[in-house]
């Protein structure tokens, strides 16, 4: 019966959010179709030529995942290119004499502040190698300035006639379901450590608490200020001029040109032709996904890259459809770290983290794998934080030799929460009466989905959570060389940007993957002038692991599964699924609140 009521409770909770999920999935399906078409239409693919000059093309309207999947239908059907692959290719292209420039199609909507920052850093390094960037935009239609921030350093910015920039500032959103749950007689029974651990507010509050609001305002202001400084630097304008111009949006493309926020008016083919004219008629253009950088010599030092993205979960990846692709499954990630450490050719390990957190025990398993690489193999481990590395995503990083974060990375959220939904009253409203028989101590039945915690159960549950919080903060103190008082001042569930985190000792250096590679060279004592080979763990299975030995799926069915995987990777869908996962008690979570930047 307990299983029945648990399933029934899950169905009730699922029905509450079903319409929201349907909406997001529908929008993501449309976006996937658009992205697929955009990628196909990004320009003719030209084989890499050994003699002709090359202009690379990059379409920022295509939403790459942070890390390329190593298994699953996306690998089988192509598209196995990740954001960090793009960044590494740009780094290599900067040192390739055959590559002369880059033609960019700007994103219409926000990329996210952290990703915009990492694109910008790669573009600046590319330009510093005396190579040009020409960008075409069909308008910027996002509240966030991230899409424009990414390309602001371009040598030429072409605006399509009749288009505008609609980018007035940073908006962060949060959803609150308390009123809905009250209407349905569902009682959230959650405990959190401490006041800034606001993930539970989604279920227990009707709006922002004072600490929750304070933290979100702080984050938005930090992201906004960092964006203004970058754009001002790239366009050679005072920060206040940039602020005033963006805050006056919507502004037309012509106004952008007159104020030095763009340089030309024209159509995509006009901007593309301008890029070819810079090089000459014998130039070839290659999509950056198809660009093959000059190979490092065999025997060059190897730096391993282990990537984890999404919610941190127990077990191996590939156990279900939701775990396909690049996930953050503890068995898979821990074993990948250990495999990289044991490889005699590997000199250092970079752990790329893109996660809002998840399971405490899974996070602990991954943390321990890093310790073993350091202790048993004597190899440095450098963490490169992507858009987010918070809560459990910070936990796994705290013992690394060096932590690198973008200024716009969301990190911290050092805290823990857990609980359940009590649905007894909701069941009674539809004519279902639940009764339980308990044999055992006072904590028996604490996680039934029918009745609330008793006072004794709540006290014991809080003690259990406190143990997890104390372990988290102890590891932070040991890993970051902070006193308990210093840890408490930056913990309690509070979320920080990378720009703030470096000031309070939670990260060591600001930058992206390129910065992490430079630090890996240094800690492994690799000659800074020598070539290195980057090897990704886990190794790709070529997509076949997804099929299973006895699969009889047709190509059409497999393509549909690939499309579904892409849908489930959509940030909005992932955010909603994270909230649902956190609510599917009884679970204890080290997870930051869902934060959607607009």
């Amino acid at each position: 019966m307990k299983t029945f009521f648990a399933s029934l409770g899950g169905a009730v909770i699922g029905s509450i959010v079903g319409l929201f999920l349907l909406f997001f999935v529908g929008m993501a399906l449309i976006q996937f179709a658009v992205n697929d078409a955009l990628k196909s239409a990004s320009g003719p693919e030209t084989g890499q030529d050994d003699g002709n000059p090359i202009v690379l093309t990059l379409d920022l309207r295509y939403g790459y995942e942070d890390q390329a999947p190593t298994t699953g239908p996306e690998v089988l059907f192509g598209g196995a290119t990740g954001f960090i692959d793009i960044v590494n290719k740009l780094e290599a292209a900067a040192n390739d004499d055959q590559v002369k420039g880059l033609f960019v199609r700007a994103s219409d909507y926000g990329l996210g502040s952290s990703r915009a920052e990492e694109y910008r850093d790669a573009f600046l390094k590319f330009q510093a190698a005396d190579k040009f960037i020409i960008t075409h935009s069909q308008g910027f239609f996002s509240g966030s300035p991230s899409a424009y921030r990414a390309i602001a350093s371009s040598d030429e910015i072409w605006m399509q006639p009749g288009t505008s920039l609609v980018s007035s500032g940073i908006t962060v959103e949060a959803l609150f379901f308390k009123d809905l749950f009250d209407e349905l007689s569902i009682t959230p029974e959650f405990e959190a450590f401490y006041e800034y651990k606001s993930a539970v507010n989604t279920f227990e509050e009707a709006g922002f608490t004072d600490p929750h609001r304070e933290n979100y305002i702080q984050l938005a202001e930090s992201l906004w200020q960092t964006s203004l400084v970058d754009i001002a630097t790239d366009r050679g304008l005072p920060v206040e001029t940039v602020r005033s111009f963006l805050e006056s949006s919507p502004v037309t493309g012509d106004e952008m040109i007159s104020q030095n926020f763009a340089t030309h008016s024209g159509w995509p083919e006009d901007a593309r032709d301008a890029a070819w004219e810079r090089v000459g008629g014998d130039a070839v253009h290659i999509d950056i996904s198809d660009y093959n950088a000059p190979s490092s010599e065999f025997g060059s030092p190897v730096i391993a890259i282990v990537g984890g993205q999404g919610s941190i979960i127990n077990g191996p990846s590939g156990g279900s459809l939701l775990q396909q692709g690049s996930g953050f499954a503890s068995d898979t990630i821990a074993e990948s770290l250990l495999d990289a450490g044991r490889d005699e050719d590997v000199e250092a390990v970079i752990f790329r983290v893109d996660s809002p957190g998840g399971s405490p025990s899974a996070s602990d398993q991954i943390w321990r794998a890093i310790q073993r690489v350091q202790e048993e193999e004597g190899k440095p481990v450098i963490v490169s934080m992507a858009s987010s590395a918070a809560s459990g995503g910070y936990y796994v990083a705290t013992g690394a030799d060096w932590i690198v974060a973008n200024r716009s990375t969301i990190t911290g959220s050092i805290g823990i929460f857990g609980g359940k939904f009590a649905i007894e009253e909701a069941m009674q409203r539809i004519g279902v009466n639940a009764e339980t028989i308990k044999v055992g101590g006072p904590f028996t039945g604490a996680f039934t989905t029918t009745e609330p915690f008793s006072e004794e159960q709540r006290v014991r549950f809080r003690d259990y959570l406190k143990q997890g919080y104390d372990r988290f903060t102890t590891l932070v103190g040991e890993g970051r060389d902070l006193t308990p008082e210093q840890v408490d001042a930056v913990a309690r569930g509070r979320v920080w940007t990378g720009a703030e985190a470096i000031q309070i000792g939670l990260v060591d250096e600001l930058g992206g993957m390129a910065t992490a590679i430079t630090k890996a060279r240094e800690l492994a004592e690799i000659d800074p002038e020598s070539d290195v080979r980057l090897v990704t763990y886990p190794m790709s299975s070529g997509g076949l692991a997804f099929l299973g030995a006895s699969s009889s799926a047709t190509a059409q069915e497999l393509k549909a599964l690939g499309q579904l995987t892409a849908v489930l990777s959509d940030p909005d869908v992932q955010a909603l699924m994270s909230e649902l996962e956190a609510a599917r008690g009884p679970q204890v979570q080290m997870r930051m609140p869902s934060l959607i930047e607009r």
Side-chain angles (χ1 to χ4, degrees):
M1 292 296 288
K2 176 182 174 183
T3 303
F4 168 76
F5 285 123
S7 300
L8 187 58
V12 170
I13 294 171
S15 67
I16 293 170
V17 298
L19 290 177
F20 293 101
L21 184 58
L22 181 63
F23 171 76
F24 282 119
V25 168
M27 292 301 294
L29 279 168
I30 294 171
Q31 186 62 47
F32 175 80
V34 172
N35 283 343
D36 194 50
L38 286 173
K39 194 176 183 187
S40 300
S42 59
E45 294 184 4
T46 306
Q48 193 154 329
D49 187 289
D50 290 335
N52 292 346
I54 295 171
V55 176
L56 296 175
T57 64
L58 172 59
D59 196 332
L60 298 184
R61 299 170 298 175
Y62 182 77
Y64 294 99
E65 291 188 46
D66 186 72
Q67 300 139 38
T70 57
T71 186
E74 286 184 291
V75 178
L76 186 63
F77 291 103
T81 299
F83 168 68
I84 61 173
D85 297 321
I86 301 299
V87 170
N88 288 337
K89 285 172 181 282
L90 285 169
E91 175 91 4
N95 299 312
D96 184 350
D97 291 339
Q98 195 176 349
V99 175
K100 304 301 180 183
L102 177 68
F103 175 56
V104 178
R105 298 297 302 273
S107 176
D108 304 39
Y109 293 91
L111 297 167
S113 292
S114 181
R115 179 164 292 193
E117 180 179 335
E118 204 155 354
Y119 269 131
R120 172 184 181 264
D121 290 346
F123 291 164
L124 288 172
K125 185 171 289 189
F126 186 85
Q127 291 169 297
D130 198 27
K131 302 174 192 291
F132 68 84
I133 297 178
I134 293 178
T135 296
H136 185 272
S137 171
Q138 292 178 295
F140 301 93
F141 305 110
S142 170
S144 163
S146 59
Y148 180 76
R149 178 185 176 192
I151 58 88
S153 69
S154 301
D155 298 277
E156 297 180 17
I157 300 175
W158 289 65
M159 294 297 297
Q160 183 166 303
T163 59
S164 301
L165 181 148
V166 185
S167 181
S168 58
I170 300 288
T171 300
V172 290
E173 294 181 353
L175 300 176
F176 300 96
F177 293 99
K178 181 180 185 301
D179 290 344
L180 177 60
F181 290 151
D182 286 348
E183 183 69 23
L184 297 172
S185 300
I186 295 174
T187 305
E189 293 273 308
F190 288 88
E191 298 291 331
F193 287 80
Y194 281 102
E195 68 271 23
Y196 291 103
K197 197 65 180 175
S198 53
V200 298
N201 292 359
T202 293
F203 315 118
E204 295 188 331
E205 304 291 342
F208 286 111
T209 62
D210 288 343
H212 194 179
R213 183 183 301 278
E214 171 198 337
N215 202 176
Y216 270 32
I217 290 173
Q218 160 212 322
L219 289 173
E221 288 180 342
S222 179
L223 294 174
W224 179 226
Q225 185 61 33
T226 302
S227 300
L228 291 174
V229 169
D230 281 358
I231 293 170
T233 300
D234 293 342
R235 301 312 303 168
L237 297 167
V239 171
E240 285 308 312
T241 298
V242 174
R243 182 196 302 273
S244 176
F245 187 80
L246 293 181
E247 290 180 354
S248 68
S249 73
V251 291
T252 67
D254 290 340
E255 290 174 308
M256 292 180 66
I257 293 170
S258 69
Q259 299 296 317
N260 194 35
F261 286 83
T263 58
H264 296 76
S265 177
W267 303 94
E269 58 271 22
D270 298 327
R272 184 189 59 206
D273 290 346
W276 308 156
E277 289 170 5
R278 284 209 178 202
V279 179
D282 59 344
V284 295
H285 52 103
I286 301 173
D287 187 280
I288 196 164
S289 297
D290 302 317
Y291 168 67
N292 297 314
S295 300
S296 300
E297 294 182 5
F298 182 78
S300 297
V302 174
I303 294 176
I305 299 176
V306 178
Q309 59 186 331
S311 296
I312 301 174
I313 58 175
N314 292 94
S317 62
S320 68
L321 179 62
L322 299 184
Q323 291 173 285
Q324 292 295 331
S326 302
F328 216 132
S330 62
D331 286 1
T332 301
I333 297 298
E335 193 59 35
S336 296
L337 287 163
L338 295 173
D339 286 346
R342 297 183 189 114
D343 189 329
E344 294 181 357
D345 294 329
V346 170
E347 303 285 344
V349 178
I350 295 175
F351 185 20
R352 176 75 170 190
V353 178
D354 189 12
S355 174
S359 163
S361 59
S363 302
D364 217 16
Q365 179 185 357
I366 296 167
W367 171 87
R368 176 55 188 155
I370 291 175
Q371 306 304 299
R372 290 185 60 188
V373 171
Q374 296 165 321
E375 296 167 0
E376 298 175 13
E377 310 301 334
K379 296 177 181 178
V381 178
I382 298 89
V383 164
S384 171
M385 292 182 168
S387 296
S388 66
S391 204
Y394 187 80
Y395 191 112
V396 300
T398 192
D401 295 280
W402 199 256
I403 299 177
V404 178
N406 294 309
R407 289 165 296 154
S408 305
T409 295
I410 302 300
T411 189
S413 194
I414 300 167
I416 190 170
F417 72 92
K420 65 178 183 178
F421 286 94
I423 62 172
E424 182 176 24
E425 186 178 348
M427 294 296 95
Q428 290 174 348
R429 289 178 57 180
I430 60 174
V432 178
N433 295 317
E435 295 186 11
T436 59
I437 295 175
K438 304 173 186 177
V439 178
F443 204 68
T444 302
F447 289 113
T448 60
T449 57
T450 53
E451 57 195 38
F453 290 122
S454 69
E455 284 306 310
E456 183 170 358
Q457 287 172 343
R458 188 178 297 277
V459 169
R460 293 192 181 199
F461 185 53
R462 282 191 62 84
D463 288 344
Y464 170 63
L465 288 176
K466 181 65 162 55
Q467 292 173 18
Y469 180 79
D470 288 345
R471 175 162 175 75
F472 194 170
T473 54
T474 297
L475 293 180
V476 172
E478 293 173 351
R480 305 304 305 162
D481 194 23
L482 299 173
T483 66
E485 293 75 20
Q486 288 174 317
V487 174
D488 184 68
V490 300
R492 307 182 71 85
R494 189 157 191 160
V495 184
W496 308 90
T497 63
E500 297 165 329
I502 196 169
Q503 301 296 326
I504 57 179
L506 294 183
V507 304
D508 296 298
E509 188 173 3
L510 296 176
M513 178 58 74
T515 302
I517 292 172
T518 299
K519 191 64 184 182
R521 283 176 173 272
E522 177 186 331
L523 293 182
E525 299 182 350
I526 299 171
D527 184 345
E529 300 300 321
S530 68
D531 289 338
V532 296
R533 289 191 295 128
L534 302 178
V535 178
T536 301
Y537 287 78
M539 300 295 187
S540 174
S541 67
L544 297 179
F546 177 80
L547 302 181
S550 62
S551 174
S552 59
T554 66
Q556 185 176 6
E557 290 169 337
L558 290 171
K559 185 174 182 180
L561 287 171
Q563 292 173 336
L564 179 57
T565 302
V567 168
L568 295 173
S569 300
D570 180 87
D572 286 341
V573 175
Q574 286 287 324
L576 185 58
M577 290 174 62
S578 293
E579 297 290 6
L580 292 176
E581 185 176 343
R584 284 170 56 95
Q587 290 191 37
V588 177
Q589 294 284 319
M590 289 178 177
R591 184 190 301 273
M592 66 172 281
S594 293
L595 189 155
I596 302 173
E597 179 187 333
R598 302 294 188 190

